[in-house]
Amino acid sequence: MNERQRARRPGGRSARVGAEVHRAVTELINERGYGNFTVGEVAARAGVADSSIYRRWGGLETLLADVTLTRLNAQSPMPDTGSLDGDLRTYAANVAREITGPDGLLLVRLAVALSSNGQQGLRARDDLRDERTRQLQSMLDRARERGEHTLDAFDVLDHILAPMYIRVLFGIGPLTPDYIDGLVDRLL
């Protein structure tokens, strides 16, 4: 997301266009999967001009990353429970709920689709990863400010997220509360 996008006012026409474009992308993903539609099809479904999408997002890859990150932030926001232990347990439970839900591994599918879509796709994938890592780091920074022992954001990715994604990808077993708590316990 660029500075211009962040500077937009939360209401008005821009917000309505953004919401309609996001809705159209979500519908098309559910109907066809990633990579099986064009900016033109998104624009037609959203009732906007192609140029509006290109001007705001630059291309399909960046739009897909924005839709996914917006969704993740809404459904799995960074918790602030007052302790790192509580934050990690809440975050891990939210991620487990998200990746075992009806849309499952949305983020993994997007990363794979973007990775195979040239330089712009790789840049959008990296931007998506970097933004989510930045959000994780903000949770860890709060813990540090409270005087708690802290970790690196990649420790959370390696020791909590990766095992859950692997289990879901390969159908290894359910993500039970005990399993999720065990991941957090081992990390801490």
Side-chain angles (χ1 to χ4, degrees), residues 47-72:
V48 301
D50 296 21
S51 59
S52 294
I53 293 174
Y54 285 113
R55 185 172 40 258
R56 186 164 177 175
W57 288 279
L60 187 58
E61 294 81 8
T62 305
L63 173 58
L64 288 171
D66 184 50
V67 168
T68 302
L69 187 60
T70 299
R71 181 182 165 158
L72 278 173

Side-chain angles (χ1 to χ4, degrees), residues 127-141:
D127 288 347
L128 177 62
R129 181 204 58 224
D130 292 347
E131 177 61 20
R132 201 58 174 171
T133 302
R134 185 196 61 73
Q135 292 171 350
L136 273 172
Q137 191 60 53
S138 71
M139 178 177 66
L140 299 170
D141 290 345

Side-chain angles (χ1 to χ4, degrees), residues 1-2 5 8 21-22 25 29 34-35 37-43 49-68 110 114 117 119-125 127:
M1 188 179 305
N2 62 38
Q5 288 168 291
R8 292 186 194 285
V21 169
H22 277 225
V25 168
I29 289 169
Y34 287 113
F37 54 88
T38 66
V39 168
E41 291 169 309
V42 171
D50 296 21
S51 59
S52 294
I53 293 174
Y54 285 113
R55 185 172 40 258
R56 186 164 177 175
W57 288 279
L60 187 58
E61 294 81 8
T62 305
L63 173 58
L64 288 171
D66 184 50
V67 168
T68 302
L110 175 64
L114 292 175
N117 212 4
Q119 282 302 99
Q120 188 177 12
L122 290 172
R123 217 173 10 263
R125 179 206 61 195
D127 288 347

Side-chain angles (χ1 to χ4, degrees), residues 159-175:
H159 298 282
I160 294 178
L161 298 181
M164 289 194 296
Y165 277 99
I166 292 298
R167 274 187 164 233
V168 171
L169 274 171
F170 293 105
I172 295 172
L175 298 180

